[in-house]
Amino acid sequence: MFENKYNPLAWIRGLEKGNVTIEEDVWIGPFCVVDGEYDKVFIGKGVNISSGAQIVSHDTVKRCLTSRVFNEIEHAPVVIENNVYIGTNAVVLKGCKIGHHSIIAAGSVVKANTIIPPFSLVAGIPAEIKKNIETNYLNWTADDNTI
């Protein structure tokens, strides 16, 4: 098995193939799955992926349901832009793009091919945009650090 430098208790598939790119200052919690075995996964700078979260670039739904008449593993790249927080046990499916400075709430499921704009708070099953957090971000990063 290919060792990962992010967390010995996280499973990161596709690193050895070059399918998974992880930028600087990324934290990956224990029991996470980052699966780039079948397509690219990009994780931007400053991303935090909480314990048990999963990022998956493929599925086998059609292959399974058709008794392999459709014998392909469907896949699409996943992009997690800079400074995204992915909560505990959240799931991000194939083809998703998560915009920078966004929050994926704990337990959320981001459906395949979903585009989340920057500064979004998303939650639920399926995950939906609950609010824009740009004002929060601006307050949190203000010189006087007031909210």
Side-chain angles (χ1 to χ4, degrees):
M1 178 180 262
F2 188 79
E3 289 283 325
N4 77 71
K5 66 180 185 178
Y6 302 96
N7 192 309
L9 298 176
W11 189 30
I12 304 174
R13 295 185 66 203
L15 273 173
E16 66 280 7
K17 290 180 164 184
N19 280 358
V20 177
T21 301
I22 302 173
E23 295 288 316
E24 301 169 358
D25 196 28
V26 169
W27 187 84
I28 299 174
F31 314 115
C32 288
V33 174
V34 177
D35 194 342
E37 187 68 20
Y38 295 96
D39 215 317
K40 303 282 187 188
V41 174
F42 174 84
I43 299 171
K45 294 178 184 174
V47 169
N48 278 219
I49 304 171
S50 295
S51 302
Q54 299 180 46
I55 301 168
V56 183
S57 68
H58 71 282
D59 73 46
T60 59
V61 174
K62 286 182 186 175
R63 186 177 81 160
C64 176
L65 295 179
T66 65
S67 299
R68 289 187 167 67
V69 170
F70 182 92
N71 201 27
E72 295 177 31
I73 294 174
E74 294 187 287
H75 56 88
V78 176
V79 175
I80 311 294
E81 292 185 346
N82 296 344
N83 303 102
V84 169
Y85 176 83
I86 299 175
T88 301
N89 294 326
V91 177
V92 178
L93 296 174
K94 72 175 195 248
C96 288
K97 181 178 180 183
I98 310 298
H100 62 86
H101 297 91
S102 289
I103 299 170
I104 309 302
S108 297
V109 177
V110 184
K111 293 188 328 184
N113 304 309
T114 299
I115 308 296
I116 303 295
F119 297 105
S120 293
L121 167 63
V122 301
I125 303 173
E128 297 177 347
I129 297 171
K130 299 299 183 181
K131 70 183 263 185
N132 180 292
I133 60 167
E134 189 167 10
T135 299
N136 299 82
Y137 167 78
L138 293 172
N139 286 335
W140 296 337
T141 58
D143 287 338
D144 63 2
N145 206 17
T146 59
I147 297 179

